[in-house]
């Protein structure tokens, strides 16, 4: 039943407009609700899921509307061809704005689009090409053969069928390799980057996708209204769409439709009621909308959707699939990671000073030291989070110094985080699947058309295998944030294993674990080593480290204090002094 | 274009730029202390301008009732946040009442420019901390994105309220002084001198406040490290409230300075505020001297583009942001993590 909802919805789109007694006023309102919903679905992907916001969505709608209007009115192009034109124009516009803002912090996109939106409004309102403030009229209607789509009821079918298609496409996109990357942007951008996700490109994908949906909405609007002018594409309209997304539930595709419905209806009621109350005409509804928006942010930040429709935990079926390609395994005996004279200065402070050590294939090396010894900084230098002031890091003799995290992931280095970084809204197995990001190729279009299913099955089979391997297979469908901290740390290891790494870097994996959990973790790491994995771990917990590692590197005040087997380190006078002070 | 026109344009640009500089300063200040992108800054400009214009004609401004209403709302919000009732009543009920009473007594006698300006500041400024208490304090721990959307919500509500309390007609006030100073070929109007003088004085005042007073240093501490500031006893809510009060006062003052130059409508503030933002963005939302310099550039760019292509002046000013963002993009590495 749930699987076939799009077909049922399409049938409803065709029949319901012909309900006897449906007032034409409602037909027109429902047309606008459908058009707004299409735009707001894009905003949900961008803002609620991707964690960015744009105040140019109405402008992108205008791109679509004006592109099709100009082509069909002035050049006699078929209005149907206006749709691809609308999409291309909006996508190019979004890509341009995105290129200059998406590498910067989040509020630059918001403020940049705000300025662009005002700028475009005045541009269109002052150029003859766009018909200035009056806009363009007598736009030809859409045609089916010789039939003109001018009846609001017929148009209603078109609008809502498009909305169904957009919702299906969006759900498909979100449930894909790139979709998981978009969902990881909010709260887990660094983690995603550490598994090879190009976060700037992922942000761009979400932004362009949202703009394309806005353009589709604009195209529908132009040929429904049959005239366009700058006002409905201004900044205030963009703000109203944002209100729809936030009120309905910015994290849910369904929230877009709910929000568009509520805001459109409330807007209509207020525009009737408020001028009567206040005795003059004006945009008084903005007061109420401002207050609603503020109230939602304070009391129901997730919007209304989660309160109306409680999501159920969905079980993901894991089909058996051929295994993903694996990278060549290193042969034993050689050094896999070589850190050579590494140095990091913060102003006058030398956090890491002349650090050199190596990790051999199939070896567990522990990096230990008192607080402030420079362990975490060294870890950040190796994983590409920070770049060293001097020295080199090499993998199989190949330098990887200063490479960004995605590039380091591509070399087969996987990591975990001291402060667990799982995407809260996603299930455990989806989080683990992010680890396999680099082992798939499917792009956005393939995802939207569901041409990525074979690859997805492989990715999830691998994720399930790694979850079973760490002993958390039964928790696969639980939301990641519902797990205990210790379990979340283990999920991070499963995610790291999904990269098919040659080297595993673990940042304090035993922190916050109970005694029995530590023993299990140690057993797991030994098992991985015996299968040929090389592991470097930064750790505080001496008891955990002593029984596990092959070799220890001890740091204090940024320099290497000692290196050797655990037993030897335990007796080293310099190490004892650093940890216990001089007796 | 000859040098006289150019000189006039530069002068115009610097005068407007001074206003944008004030706004940019307060935007940077509010963002640093509270992480709020203060979109409603422009509404304070409009409120200040329209309040002053009403006082200038000897009528009671509508913002008085807005002040009383928002004060009452802030009182209720404060009760919900369990603040001590005495101080709360004093700041959000007694203060507006006192301001209304003073205005009622003073205004009919047209007390003069200075009294009108001070009264306008007194009426408009408290609205900002009320807004902070109602809208932003409950969200203090939210992400920058949520705070930004809240700021847009407040902008929307305040703009609508501006329409209710000031009406759709624009207003203009008489200049502070009719005098003008001639230097060689061109003359400087009295209003321009007032704007430049007051802006300069205010900047020096702010510099002293942040550099040498305990309160100013507390605000800077909050801006650098919120948690650390709280641990040493600087209240986040208090800092936020002070930052908003300063921003409200700066906004209102900008409005008072601008309304003798141009007709201001209830919704004019937003575009003026957005030019302050343009300057603040050019300065990276962080540097105070950078923001002032950028604001003057924005003002000069605006005055030259209104001479050459007046219909496209806003287009040119707001598009100028794109190359700046591009330059920043190319200079900075991609941000991998979230902004908090």
């Amino acid at each position: 039943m749930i699987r076939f909802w799009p077909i049922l919805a399409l049938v409803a789109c065709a029949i319901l407009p012909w309900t006897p007694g449906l007032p034409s006023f409602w037909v027109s309102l429902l047309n606008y609700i459908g058009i707004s919903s299409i735009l707001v679905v894009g905003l949900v992907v961008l803002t609620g899921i991707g964690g960015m916001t744009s105040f140019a969505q109405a402008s992108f709608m205008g791109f679509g509307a004006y592109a099709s209007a100009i082509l069909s009115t002035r050049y006699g192009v078929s209005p149907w061809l206006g749709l691809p034109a609308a999409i291309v124009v909006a996508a190019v516009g979004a890509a341009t704005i995105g290129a200059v803002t998406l590498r910067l912090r989040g509020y630059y996109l918001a403020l940049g689009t705000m300025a662009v939106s005002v700028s475009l409004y005045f541009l269109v309102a002052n150029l003859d090409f766009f018909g200035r403030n009056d806009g363009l009229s007598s736009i030809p209607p859409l045609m089916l053969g010789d039939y003109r789509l001018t009846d609001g009821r017929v148009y209603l079918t078109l609008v809502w069928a498009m909305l169904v298609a957009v919702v299906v496409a969006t759900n498909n996109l979100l449930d894909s390799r790139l979709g998981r990357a978009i969902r990881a942007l909010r709260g887990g951008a660094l983690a995603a980057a550490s598994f090879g996700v190009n976060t700037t490109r992922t942000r761009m994908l979400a932004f362009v996708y949202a703009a394309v949906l806005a353009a589709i909405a604009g195209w529908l609007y132009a040929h429904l209204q049959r005239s366009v002018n700058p006002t409905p594409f201004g900044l205030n309209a963009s703000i109203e769409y944002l209100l729809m997304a936030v009120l309905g539930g910015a994290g849910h595709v369904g929230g877009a439709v709910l929000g568009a419905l509520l805001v459109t209806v409330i807007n209509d009621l207020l525009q009737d009621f408020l001028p009567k109350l206040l005795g003059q005409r004006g945009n008084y509804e903005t007061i109420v909308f401002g207050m609603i928006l503020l109230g939602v942010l304070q009391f129901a930040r997730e919007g209304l959707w989660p309160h109306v429709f409680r999501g159920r935990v969905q079980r993901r079926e894991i089909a058996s699939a051929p295994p993903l390609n694996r990278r060549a395994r290193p042969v034993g005996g050689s050094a896999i990671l070589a850190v050579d004279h590494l140095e990091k200065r913060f102003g006058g402070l030398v956090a890491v000073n002349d650090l050199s050590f190596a990790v051999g294939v199939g070896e567990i090396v522990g990096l230990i030291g008192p607080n402030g010894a420079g362990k975490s900084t060294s870890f950040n230098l190796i994983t590409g989070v920070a770049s060293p002031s001097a020295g080199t890091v090499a993998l199989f003799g190949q330098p990887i110094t200063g490479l960004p995290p995605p590039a380091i992931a591509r070399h087969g280095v996987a990591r975990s985080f001291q402060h667990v970084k799982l995407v809260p809204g996603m299930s455990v197995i989806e989080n683990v699947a992010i680890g396999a990001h680099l082992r798939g190729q499917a792009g956005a279009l393939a995802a939207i058309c569901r041409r990525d299913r074979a690859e997805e099955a492989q990715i999830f089979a691998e994720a399930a295998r790694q979850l079973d391997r760490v002993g958390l297979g039964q928790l696969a469908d639980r939301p990641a944030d519902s797990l205990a901290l210790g379990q979340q740390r283990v999920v991070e290891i499963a995610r790291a294993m999904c990269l098919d790494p040659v080297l595993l870097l673990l940042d304090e994996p035993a922190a916050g674990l109970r005694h029995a959990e530590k023993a299990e973790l140690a057993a797991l790491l030994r098992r991985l080593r015996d299968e040929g994995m090389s592991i470097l771990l930064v750790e505080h917990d001496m008891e955990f480290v002593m029984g596990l590692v092959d070799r220890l590197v001890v740091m204090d005040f940024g320099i290497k204090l000692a290196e050797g087997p655990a037993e030897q380190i335990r007796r080293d006078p310099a190490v004892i002094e650093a940890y216990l002070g001089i007796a | 274009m000859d040098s006289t026109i150019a000189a006039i344009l530069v002068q115009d640009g610097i005068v407007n730029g001074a206003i944008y500089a004030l706004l940019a300063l307060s935007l940077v200040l509010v963002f640093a202390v509270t992480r709020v992108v203060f979109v409603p800054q422009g509404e304070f400009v409009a409120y200040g301008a329209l309040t002053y214009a009403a006082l200038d004609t000897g009528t009671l401004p509508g913002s008085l009732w807005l002040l009383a209403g928002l004060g009452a709302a802030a009182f209720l919000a404060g009760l919900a946040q369990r603040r001590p009732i005495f101080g709360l009543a004093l700041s959000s009920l007694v203060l507006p009442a006192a301001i209304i009473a003073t205005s009622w007594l003073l205004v009919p006698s047209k007390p003069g420019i200075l009294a009108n300006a001070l009264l306008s500041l007194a009426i408009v400024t408290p609205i900002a901390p009320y807004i902070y208490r109602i809208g932003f304090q409950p969200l203090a721990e939210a992400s920058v994105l949520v705070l930004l959307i809240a700021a847009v919500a407040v902008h929307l509500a305040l703009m609508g309220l501006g329409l209710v309390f000031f009406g759709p007609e624009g207003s203009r006030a008489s200049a502070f002084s009719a005098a003008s100073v001639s230097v060689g070929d061109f003359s400087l109007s009295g209003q321009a001198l007032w704007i430049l003088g007051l802006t300069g004085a205010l900047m020096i005042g702010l510099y002293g406040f942040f550099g040498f007073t305990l309160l100013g240093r507390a605000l800077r501490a909050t801006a650098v490290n919120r948690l650390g500031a709280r641990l040493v006893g600087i209240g986040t809510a208090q800092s936020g409230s002070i930052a908003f009060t300063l921003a409200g006062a700066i906004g209102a003052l900008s409005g008072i300075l601008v309304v003798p130059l141009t007709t201001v409508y209830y919704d004019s503030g937003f575009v003026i505020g957005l030019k302050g933002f343009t300057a603040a963005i050019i300065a990276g939302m962080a540097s105070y001297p950078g923001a002032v310099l950028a604001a003057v550039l924005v003002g000069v760019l605006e005055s030259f583009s209104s001479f050459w292509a007046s219909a496209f002046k806003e287009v040119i000013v707001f598009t100028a942001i794109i190359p700046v963002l591009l330059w920043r993009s190319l200079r900075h590495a991609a941000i991998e993590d979230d902004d908090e």
Side-chain angles (χ1 to χ4, degrees), chain A residues 31-381:
Chain A
N31 265 317
Y32 289 113
I33 291 170
I35 290 174
S36 304
S37 298
I38 292 174
L39 184 147
V40 180
V41 168
L43 209 46
V44 162
V45 172
L46 185 71
T47 303
I49 295 171
M52 296 163 269
T53 202
S54 144
F55 290 97
Q57 292 315 101
S59 312
F60 292 132
M61 185 179 177
F63 278 30
Y66 272 91
S68 191
I70 290 171
L71 284 177
S72 58
T73 314
R74 232 173 260 158
Y75 302 101
V77 176
S78 155
W80 293 106
L81 290 177
L83 179 60
I87 289 175
V88 169
V89 170
V92 170
T96 312
I97 299 172
V100 298
T101 53
L102 288 175
R103 284 164 59 88
L104 301 170
R105 288 195 180 279
Y107 49 83
Y108 279 103
L109 178 66
L111 292 172
T113 48
M114 214 178 257
V116 165
S117 169
V118 173
S119 168
L120 284 173
Y121 176 87
F122 283 109
L123 188 70
V124 168
N126 283 300
L127 280 181
D128 283 325
F129 183 73
F130 297 106
R132 295 177 175 265
N133 274 313
D134 299 330
L136 306 167
S137 51
S138 334
I139 299 172
L142 292 167
M143 308 281 288
L144 273 180
D146 284 337
Y147 179 76
R148 295 155 59 89
L149 263 66
T150 46
D151 187 327
R153 290 162 199 268
V154 180
Y155 213 83
L156 197 55
T157 304
L158 174 69
V159 167
W160 283 76
M162 291 286 274
L163 175 60
V164 171
V166 160
V167 169
V168 170
T170 306
N171 282 334
N172 288 353
L173 176 65
L174 290 176
D175 177 30
S176 75
R177 178 175 159 270
L178 289 177
R180 286 188 293 279
I182 294 176
R183 288 153 77 192
L185 287 177
R186 215 177 125 198
L190 177 60
S194 301
F195 289 98
V197 174
N198 181 334
T199 47
T200 304
R201 253 169 63 191
T202 307
R203 288 193 180 100
M204 182 68 102
L205 169 65
F207 187 50
V208 170
Y209 184 73
V212 165
L213 294 198
I216 295 174
W219 173 76
L220 282 168
Y221 178 92
H223 295 286
L224 169 67
Q225 187 89 0
R226 313 259 316 272
S227 67
V228 289
N229 69 73
T231 311
F233 309 122
L235 182 63
N236 281 341
S238 283
I239 294 176
E240 203 172 300
Y241 292 122
L242 191 63
L243 168 67
M244 291 179 187
V246 174
L247 177 63
H252 308 267
V253 172
V257 184
L258 181 64
L261 176 81
L262 286 174
V263 171
T264 311
V265 171
I266 295 173
N267 193 6
D268 197 73
L269 295 176
L270 288 177
Q271 280 181 345
D272 261 3
F273 169 73
L274 285 181
K276 278 181 201 151
L277 180 76
L278 293 164
Q280 52 180 342
R281 293 174 59 80
N283 298 328
Y284 299 115
E285 66 277 3
T286 60
I287 306 170
V288 181
F289 280 151
M291 294 200 290
I292 292 178
L293 192 49
L294 211 50
V296 171
L297 291 178
Q298 290 188 7
F299 301 112
R301 203 170 298 165
E302 299 298 308
L304 298 180
W305 182 265
H307 297 271
V308 182
F309 301 91
R310 185 140 307 173
R312 283 167 303 144
V313 175
Q314 283 192 354
R315 253 194 68 75
R316 182 178 275 274
E317 297 298 330
I318 304 299
S320 62
L324 291 164
N325 290 334
R326 301 197 64 189
R327 70 180 85 236
R329 313 309 302 174
V331 284
S334 56
I336 183 162
L337 177 78
V339 173
D340 199 25
H341 299 294
L342 205 59
E343 183 181 307
K344 179 69 179 177
R345 293 171 181 278
F346 296 104
L349 179 84
V350 187
V352 176
N353 192 359
D354 198 23
L355 177 70
S356 303
F357 69 93
V359 178
V361 172
E363 194 183 25
I364 302 184
V365 174
L367 183 60
I368 63 169
N371 278 327
K375 305 185 299 290
S376 291
T377 309
S378 310
F379 200 88
N380 285 341
L381 297 177

Side-chain angles (χ1 to χ4, degrees), chain B residues 52-53 125 139 165-166 178 180 185 230 242 258 282 286 321-322 332:
Chain B
Y52 178 78
T125 306
L139 294 173
F165 287 98
F166 294 108
S180 67
D185 261 352
R230 206 156 57 192
I242 296 167
V258 134
I282 292 174
I321 209 172
I322 296 279
H332 290 265

Side-chain angles (χ1 to χ4, degrees), chain A residues 455-536:
Chain A
E455 184 185 290
E456 281 287 285
Q458 283 183 293
I459 288 177
F460 275 91
E462 172 73 6
R465 203 169 67 81
Q466 298 300 349
L467 265 179
D468 285 336
R469 193 176 188 183
V470 301
L472 291 180
Q474 76 286 0
L475 298 177
D477 295 312
R478 292 264 299 275
D481 46 334
S482 71
L483 267 54
L485 178 66
Q487 291 172 322
Q488 295 192 22
R489 287 199 183 283
V490 178
V491 170
E492 284 215 328
I493 295 176
R495 178 177 64 187
M497 292 306 296
C498 261
L499 182 76
D500 184 27
V502 290
L503 175 66
L504 204 53
L505 301 176
L506 303 178
D507 199 352
E508 302 206 12
L513 261 59
R514 285 183 296 240
H515 190 75
E517 289 175 324
K518 280 181 201 167
E520 277 175 41
L521 178 64
L524 169 68
L525 296 181
R526 268 189 218 108
R527 216 162 56 234
L528 291 175
R529 176 198 42 202
D530 295 343
E531 292 168 21
M533 182 64 60
S534 318
I535 301 171
L536 171 67

